[in-house]
mmCIF file of all heavy atoms in Angstrom:
data_model
loop_
_atom_site.group_PDB
_atom_site.id
_atom_site.type_symbol
_atom_site.label_atom_id
_atom_site.label_comp_id
_atom_site.label_asym_id
_atom_site.label_seq_id
_atom_site.Cartn_x
_atom_site.Cartn_y
_atom_site.Cartn_z
ATOM 1 N N GLN A 130 125.624 212.868 158.689
ATOM 2 C CA GLN A 130 126.661 213.457 157.865
ATOM 3 C C GLN A 130 126.197 213.480 156.408
ATOM 4 O O GLN A 130 125.348 212.734 155.994
ATOM 5 C CB GLN A 130 127.978 212.644 157.926
ATOM 6 C CG GLN A 130 128.580 212.613 159.343
ATOM 7 C CD GLN A 130 129.895 211.876 159.388
ATOM 8 O OE1 GLN A 130 130.442 211.541 158.355
ATOM 9 N NE2 GLN A 130 130.377 211.610 160.541
ATOM 10 N N PRO A 131 126.695 214.504 155.653
ATOM 11 C CA PRO A 131 126.366 214.535 154.258
ATOM 12 C C PRO A 131 126.548 213.202 153.553
ATOM 13 O O PRO A 131 127.614 212.556 153.742
ATOM 14 C CB PRO A 131 127.326 215.596 153.686
ATOM 15 C CG PRO A 131 127.576 216.502 154.815
ATOM 16 C CD PRO A 131 127.612 215.572 156.016
ATOM 17 N N GLY A 132 125.588 212.765 152.780
ATOM 18 C CA GLY A 132 125.651 211.481 152.113
ATOM 19 C C GLY A 132 124.999 210.350 152.823
ATOM 20 O O GLY A 132 124.814 209.228 152.348
ATOM 21 N N ASP A 133 124.582 210.589 154.105
ATOM 22 C CA ASP A 133 123.752 209.515 154.875
ATOM 23 C C ASP A 133 122.389 209.475 154.306
ATOM 24 O O ASP A 133 121.844 210.475 153.717
ATOM 25 C CB ASP A 133 123.715 209.933 156.375
ATOM 26 C CG ASP A 133 125.043 209.741 157.099
ATOM 27 O OD1 ASP A 133 125.968 209.177 156.474
ATOM 28 O OD2 ASP A 133 125.092 210.104 158.291
ATOM 29 N N ALA A 134 121.764 208.336 154.445
ATOM 30 C CA ALA A 134 120.371 208.165 154.043
ATOM 31 C C ALA A 134 119.468 208.090 155.308
ATOM 32 O O ALA A 134 119.843 207.534 156.312
ATOM 33 C CB ALA A 134 120.264 206.935 153.212
ATOM 34 N N LEU A 135 118.330 208.680 155.163
ATOM 35 C CA LEU A 135 117.225 208.477 156.114
ATOM 36 C C LEU A 135 116.254 207.550 155.495
ATOM 37 O O LEU A 135 115.548 207.895 154.539
ATOM 38 C CB LEU A 135 116.621 209.855 156.463
ATOM 39 C CG LEU A 135 117.557 210.808 157.276
ATOM 40 C CD1 LEU A 135 117.037 212.185 157.250
ATOM 41 C CD2 LEU A 135 117.763 210.299 158.718
ATOM 42 N N ASP A 136 116.115 206.321 156.055
ATOM 43 C CA ASP A 136 115.424 205.234 155.397
ATOM 44 C C ASP A 136 114.239 204.785 156.256
ATOM 45 O O ASP A 136 114.387 204.355 157.327
ATOM 46 C CB ASP A 136 116.350 204.127 155.184
ATOM 47 C CG ASP A 136 115.761 202.961 154.354
ATOM 48 O OD1 ASP A 136 114.925 203.245 153.538
ATOM 49 O OD2 ASP A 136 116.240 201.839 154.466
ATOM 50 N N PHE A 137 113.079 204.936 155.677
ATOM 51 C CA PHE A 137 111.837 204.354 156.180
ATOM 52 C C PHE A 137 111.650 203.012 155.376
ATOM 53 O O PHE A 137 111.159 203.010 154.232
ATOM 54 C CB PHE A 137 110.655 205.294 155.939
ATOM 55 C CG PHE A 137 109.274 204.674 156.236
ATOM 56 C CD1 PHE A 137 109.103 203.587 157.028
ATOM 57 C CD2 PHE A 137 108.127 205.249 155.681
ATOM 58 C CE1 PHE A 137 107.849 203.092 157.349
ATOM 59 C CE2 PHE A 137 106.875 204.751 155.915
ATOM 60 C CZ PHE A 137 106.711 203.703 156.778
ATOM 61 N N THR A 138 112.120 201.945 155.953
ATOM 62 C CA THR A 138 112.328 200.740 155.159
ATOM 63 C C THR A 138 110.995 200.184 154.521
ATOM 64 O O THR A 138 111.085 199.459 153.521
ATOM 65 C CB THR A 138 112.945 199.596 155.972
ATOM 66 O OG1 THR A 138 112.108 199.391 157.113
ATOM 67 C CG2 THR A 138 114.331 200.004 156.378
ATOM 68 N N ASP A 139 109.815 200.587 155.030
ATOM 69 C CA ASP A 139 108.632 200.110 154.458
ATOM 70 C C ASP A 139 108.215 200.950 153.224
ATOM 71 O O ASP A 139 107.415 200.445 152.418
ATOM 72 C CB ASP A 139 107.440 200.178 155.500
ATOM 73 C CG ASP A 139 107.579 199.113 156.557
ATOM 74 O OD1 ASP A 139 108.308 198.081 156.315
ATOM 75 O OD2 ASP A 139 106.855 199.206 157.592
ATOM 76 N N GLU A 140 108.808 202.132 153.047
ATOM 77 C CA GLU A 140 108.160 202.987 152.012
ATOM 78 C C GLU A 140 109.088 204.045 151.363
ATOM 79 O O GLU A 140 108.962 204.259 150.215
ATOM 80 C CB GLU A 140 106.963 203.695 152.606
ATOM 81 C CG GLU A 140 106.146 204.373 151.580
ATOM 82 C CD GLU A 140 104.625 204.336 151.894
ATOM 83 O OE1 GLU A 140 104.262 203.507 152.761
ATOM 84 O OE2 GLU A 140 103.900 205.103 151.244
ATOM 85 N N HIS A 141 109.964 204.613 152.038
ATOM 86 C CA HIS A 141 110.613 205.841 151.540
ATOM 87 C C HIS A 141 112.042 206.020 151.997
ATOM 88 O O HIS A 141 112.405 205.548 153.121
ATOM 89 C CB HIS A 141 109.780 207.088 151.817
ATOM 90 C CG HIS A 141 110.155 208.310 151.053
ATOM 91 N ND1 HIS A 141 110.382 208.293 149.670
ATOM 92 C CD2 HIS A 141 110.346 209.593 151.429
ATOM 93 C CE1 HIS A 141 110.660 209.544 149.311
ATOM 94 N NE2 HIS A 141 110.610 210.334 150.288
ATOM 95 N N VAL A 142 112.888 206.728 151.287
ATOM 96 C CA VAL A 142 114.266 207.104 151.698
ATOM 97 C C VAL A 142 114.657 208.381 151.118
ATOM 98 O O VAL A 142 114.299 208.731 149.933
ATOM 99 C CB VAL A 142 115.255 205.912 151.329
ATOM 100 C CG1 VAL A 142 115.298 205.728 149.832
ATOM 101 C CG2 VAL A 142 116.582 206.123 151.928
ATOM 102 N N VAL A 143 115.451 209.226 151.861
ATOM 103 C CA VAL A 143 116.012 210.413 151.380
ATOM 104 C C VAL A 143 117.489 210.503 151.672
ATOM 105 O O VAL A 143 117.993 209.725 152.509
ATOM 106 C CB VAL A 143 115.216 211.686 151.974
ATOM 107 C CG1 VAL A 143 113.752 211.556 151.629
ATOM 108 C CG2 VAL A 143 115.524 211.817 153.440
ATOM 109 N N LEU A 144 118.163 211.499 151.089
ATOM 110 C CA LEU A 144 119.625 211.682 151.323
ATOM 111 C C LEU A 144 119.892 212.966 152.025
ATOM 112 O O LEU A 144 119.376 214.012 151.616
ATOM 113 C CB LEU A 144 120.329 211.689 149.908
ATOM 114 C CG LEU A 144 121.887 211.742 149.926
ATOM 115 C CD1 LEU A 144 122.420 210.342 150.217
ATOM 116 C CD2 LEU A 144 122.423 212.285 148.654
ATOM 117 N N LEU A 145 120.655 212.917 153.115
ATOM 118 C CA LEU A 145 121.034 214.048 153.861
ATOM 119 C C LEU A 145 122.075 214.816 152.990
ATOM 120 O O LEU A 145 123.175 214.257 152.662
ATOM 121 C CB LEU A 145 121.716 213.689 155.233
ATOM 122 C CG LEU A 145 121.919 214.801 156.273
ATOM 123 C CD1 LEU A 145 123.073 215.570 155.936
ATOM 124 C CD2 LEU A 145 120.744 215.594 156.523
ATOM 125 N N ASP A 146 121.822 216.042 152.607
ATOM 126 C CA ASP A 146 122.725 216.819 151.765
ATOM 127 C C ASP A 146 123.671 217.663 152.650
ATOM 128 O O ASP A 146 124.857 217.561 152.525
ATOM 129 C CB ASP A 146 121.864 217.757 150.850
ATOM 130 C CG ASP A 146 122.798 218.525 149.890
ATOM 131 O OD1 ASP A 146 123.466 219.415 150.323
ATOM 132 O OD2 ASP A 146 122.704 218.176 148.707
ATOM 133 N N SER A 147 123.079 218.465 153.518
ATOM 134 C CA SER A 147 123.914 219.389 154.377
ATOM 135 C C SER A 147 123.101 219.918 155.488
ATOM 136 O O SER A 147 121.905 219.993 155.439
ATOM 137 C CB SER A 147 124.508 220.523 153.509
ATOM 138 O OG SER A 147 123.425 221.260 152.932
ATOM 139 N N TRP A 148 123.787 220.255 156.604
ATOM 140 C CA TRP A 148 123.165 220.891 157.684
ATOM 141 C C TRP A 148 122.951 222.398 157.398
ATOM 142 O O TRP A 148 123.887 223.012 156.884
ATOM 143 C CB TRP A 148 124.016 220.765 158.975
ATOM 144 C CG TRP A 148 123.985 219.388 159.597
ATOM 145 C CD1 TRP A 148 124.909 218.325 159.472
ATOM 146 C CD2 TRP A 148 122.926 218.793 160.362
ATOM 147 N NE1 TRP A 148 124.523 217.294 160.134
ATOM 148 C CE2 TRP A 148 123.328 217.484 160.690
ATOM 149 C CE3 TRP A 148 121.698 219.285 160.778
ATOM 150 C CZ2 TRP A 148 122.516 216.652 161.495
ATOM 151 C CZ3 TRP A 148 120.909 218.456 161.566
ATOM 152 C CH2 TRP A 148 121.284 217.175 161.894
ATOM 153 N N ILE A 149 121.829 222.862 157.734
ATOM 154 C CA ILE A 149 121.521 224.306 157.645
ATOM 155 C C ILE A 149 121.986 224.919 158.980
ATOM 156 O O ILE A 149 122.795 225.848 159.116
ATOM 157 C CB ILE A 149 120.080 224.644 157.473
ATOM 158 C CG1 ILE A 149 119.581 223.951 156.184
ATOM 159 C CG2 ILE A 149 119.783 226.093 157.434
ATOM 160 C CD1 ILE A 149 118.114 224.033 155.978
ATOM 161 N N ASP A 150 121.486 224.340 160.091
ATOM 162 C CA ASP A 150 121.838 224.716 161.494
ATOM 163 C C ASP A 150 121.736 223.463 162.338
ATOM 164 O O ASP A 150 120.669 223.054 162.708
ATOM 165 C CB ASP A 150 120.849 225.797 161.920
ATOM 166 C CG ASP A 150 121.279 226.381 163.328
ATOM 167 O OD1 ASP A 150 121.992 225.694 164.102
ATOM 168 O OD2 ASP A 150 120.846 227.530 163.641
ATOM 169 N N LYS A 151 122.871 222.901 162.674
ATOM 170 C CA LYS A 151 122.857 221.655 163.378
ATOM 171 C C LYS A 151 122.257 221.819 164.766
ATOM 172 O O LYS A 151 121.545 220.962 165.244
ATOM 173 C CB LYS A 151 124.333 221.089 163.489
ATOM 174 C CG LYS A 151 124.322 219.685 164.136
ATOM 175 C CD LYS A 151 125.711 219.132 164.180
ATOM 176 C CE LYS A 151 126.238 218.766 162.783
ATOM 177 N NZ LYS A 151 127.482 217.939 162.891
ATOM 178 N N THR A 152 122.568 222.988 165.405
ATOM 179 C CA THR A 152 122.018 223.205 166.747
ATOM 180 C C THR A 152 120.469 223.244 166.697
ATOM 181 O O THR A 152 119.825 222.713 167.561
ATOM 182 C CB THR A 152 122.565 224.515 167.299
ATOM 183 O OG1 THR A 152 123.954 224.549 167.334
ATOM 184 C CG2 THR A 152 121.989 224.784 168.657
ATOM 185 N N ALA A 153 119.891 223.867 165.628
ATOM 186 C CA ALA A 153 118.485 223.896 165.449
ATOM 187 C C ALA A 153 117.934 222.579 164.890
ATOM 188 O O ALA A 153 116.694 222.417 164.821
ATOM 189 C CB ALA A 153 118.099 225.055 164.626
ATOM 190 N N GLY A 154 118.806 221.797 164.362
ATOM 191 C CA GLY A 154 118.397 220.473 163.793
ATOM 192 C C GLY A 154 117.860 220.526 162.411
ATOM 193 O O GLY A 154 117.271 219.592 161.888
ATOM 194 N N THR A 155 118.099 221.663 161.706
ATOM 195 C CA THR A 155 117.606 221.823 160.341
ATOM 196 C C THR A 155 118.643 221.412 159.367
ATOM 197 O O THR A 155 119.841 221.610 159.531
ATOM 198 C CB THR A 155 117.187 223.281 160.138
ATOM 199 O OG1 THR A 155 118.257 224.164 160.390
ATOM 200 C CG2 THR A 155 115.943 223.579 160.938
ATOM 201 N N PHE A 156 118.203 220.837 158.201
ATOM 202 C CA PHE A 156 119.133 220.340 157.213
ATOM 203 C C PHE A 156 118.434 220.355 155.823
ATOM 204 O O PHE A 156 117.194 220.526 155.730
ATOM 205 C CB PHE A 156 119.467 218.870 157.515
ATOM 206 C CG PHE A 156 118.375 217.962 157.681
ATOM 207 C CD1 PHE A 156 117.792 217.265 156.559
ATOM 208 C CD2 PHE A 156 117.858 217.661 158.896
ATOM 209 C CE1 PHE A 156 116.758 216.338 156.689
ATOM 210 C CE2 PHE A 156 116.801 216.717 159.075
ATOM 211 C CZ PHE A 156 116.279 216.084 157.945
ATOM 212 N N TYR A 157 119.169 220.245 154.796
ATOM 213 C CA TYR A 157 118.699 220.014 153.431
ATOM 214 C C TYR A 157 118.805 218.542 153.054
ATOM 215 O O TYR A 157 119.792 217.871 153.445
ATOM 216 C CB TYR A 157 119.488 220.864 152.395
ATOM 217 C CG TYR A 157 119.234 222.308 152.451
ATOM 218 C CD1 TYR A 157 120.248 223.218 152.946
ATOM 219 C CD2 TYR A 157 118.058 222.882 152.093
ATOM 220 C CE1 TYR A 157 120.033 224.597 153.025
ATOM 221 C CE2 TYR A 157 117.802 224.282 152.143
ATOM 222 C CZ TYR A 157 118.782 225.113 152.614
ATOM 223 O OH TYR A 157 118.574 226.442 152.656
ATOM 224 N N TYR A 158 117.832 218.055 152.406
ATOM 225 C CA TYR A 158 117.861 216.701 151.895
ATOM 226 C C TYR A 158 117.443 216.617 150.458
ATOM 227 O O TYR A 158 116.674 217.428 149.934
ATOM 228 C CB TYR A 158 116.935 215.767 152.724
ATOM 229 C CG TYR A 158 115.426 216.044 152.665
ATOM 230 C CD1 TYR A 158 114.674 215.330 151.773
ATOM 231 C CD2 TYR A 158 114.804 216.921 153.520
ATOM 232 C CE1 TYR A 158 113.299 215.517 151.723
ATOM 233 C CE2 TYR A 158 113.482 217.180 153.454
ATOM 234 C CZ TYR A 158 112.694 216.472 152.539
ATOM 235 O OH TYR A 158 111.365 216.679 152.461
ATOM 236 N N ASP A 159 118.002 215.670 149.757
ATOM 237 C CA ASP A 159 117.804 215.461 148.337
ATOM 238 C C ASP A 159 117.049 214.174 148.120
ATOM 239 O O ASP A 159 117.286 213.138 148.876
ATOM 240 C CB ASP A 159 119.137 215.367 147.601
ATOM 241 C CG ASP A 159 120.095 216.512 147.866
ATOM 242 O OD1 ASP A 159 119.545 217.614 148.081
ATOM 243 O OD2 ASP A 159 121.311 216.328 147.786
ATOM 244 N N ALA A 160 116.134 214.122 147.186
ATOM 245 C CA ALA A 160 115.345 212.870 146.956
ATOM 246 C C ALA A 160 114.561 212.895 145.684
ATOM 247 O O ALA A 160 114.272 213.922 145.061
ATOM 248 C CB ALA A 160 114.380 212.692 148.175
ATOM 249 N N GLU A 161 114.167 211.634 145.250
ATOM 250 C CA GLU A 161 113.028 211.410 144.365
ATOM 251 C C GLU A 161 111.907 211.172 145.299
ATOM 252 O O GLU A 161 111.933 210.252 146.133
ATOM 253 C CB GLU A 161 113.261 210.227 143.463
ATOM 254 C CG GLU A 161 114.287 210.463 142.427
ATOM 255 C CD GLU A 161 113.726 211.229 141.191
ATOM 256 O OE1 GLU A 161 112.569 211.643 141.267
ATOM 257 O OE2 GLU A 161 114.441 211.304 140.168
ATOM 258 N N HIS A 162 110.813 211.918 145.208
ATOM 259 C CA HIS A 162 109.754 211.960 146.192
ATOM 260 C C HIS A 162 108.579 211.023 145.933
ATOM 261 O O HIS A 162 108.335 210.113 146.719
ATOM 262 C CB HIS A 162 109.275 213.362 146.436
ATOM 263 C CG HIS A 162 110.353 214.297 146.769
ATOM 264 N ND1 HIS A 162 110.864 214.522 148.065
ATOM 265 C CD2 HIS A 162 111.117 215.169 145.973
ATOM 266 C CE1 HIS A 162 111.800 215.386 148.057
ATOM 267 N NE2 HIS A 162 111.997 215.807 146.820
ATOM 268 N N ARG A 163 107.952 211.197 144.799
ATOM 269 C CA ARG A 163 106.745 210.464 144.520
ATOM 270 C C ARG A 163 106.372 210.685 143.039
ATOM 271 O O ARG A 163 106.885 211.628 142.397
ATOM 272 C CB ARG A 163 105.592 210.845 145.441
ATOM 273 C CG ARG A 163 105.179 212.346 145.379
ATOM 274 C CD ARG A 163 104.317 212.713 146.483
ATOM 275 N NE ARG A 163 104.731 212.291 147.811
ATOM 276 C CZ ARG A 163 105.626 213.002 148.556
ATOM 277 N NH1 ARG A 163 106.036 214.183 148.072
ATOM 278 N NH2 ARG A 163 105.994 212.572 149.773
ATOM 279 N N PRO A 164 105.442 209.845 142.501
ATOM 280 C CA PRO A 164 105.025 210.106 141.072
ATOM 281 C C PRO A 164 104.565 211.460 140.823
ATOM 282 O O PRO A 164 103.909 212.069 141.644
ATOM 283 C CB PRO A 164 103.958 209.016 140.914
ATOM 284 C CG PRO A 164 104.231 207.983 141.903
ATOM 285 C CD PRO A 164 104.818 208.642 143.073
ATOM 286 N N GLY A 165 104.912 211.991 139.710
ATOM 287 C CA GLY A 165 104.524 213.378 139.293
ATOM 288 C C GLY A 165 105.454 214.435 139.737
ATOM 289 O O GLY A 165 105.246 215.638 139.581
ATOM 290 N N THR A 166 106.538 214.011 140.407
ATOM 291 C CA THR A 166 107.539 215.040 140.799
ATOM 292 C C THR A 166 108.898 214.695 140.206
ATOM 293 O O THR A 166 109.072 213.568 139.597
ATOM 294 C CB THR A 166 107.694 215.029 142.336
ATOM 295 O OG1 THR A 166 108.306 213.775 142.843
ATOM 296 C CG2 THR A 166 106.429 215.222 143.055
ATOM 297 N N VAL A 167 109.845 215.617 140.329
ATOM 298 C CA VAL A 167 111.193 215.373 139.891
ATOM 299 C C VAL A 167 112.172 215.421 141.079
ATOM 300 O O VAL A 167 111.810 215.939 142.155
ATOM 301 C CB VAL A 167 111.664 216.460 138.838
ATOM 302 C CG1 VAL A 167 110.725 216.330 137.630
ATOM 303 C CG2 VAL A 167 111.665 217.808 139.416
#
Side-chain angles (χ1 to χ4, degrees):
Q130 295 182 13
D133 287 354
L135 292 166
D136 188 27
F137 171 22
T138 56
D139 286 345
E140 190 145 348
H141 193 45
V142 63
V143 305
L144 186 78
L145 191 286
D146 186 288
S147 58
W148 286 102
I149 302 170
D150 185 337
K151 187 178 288 190
T152 301
T155 53
F156 58 85
Y157 289 110
Y158 66 94
D159 307 329
E161 287 282 5
H162 304 278
R163 56 190 54 84
T166 66
V167 299

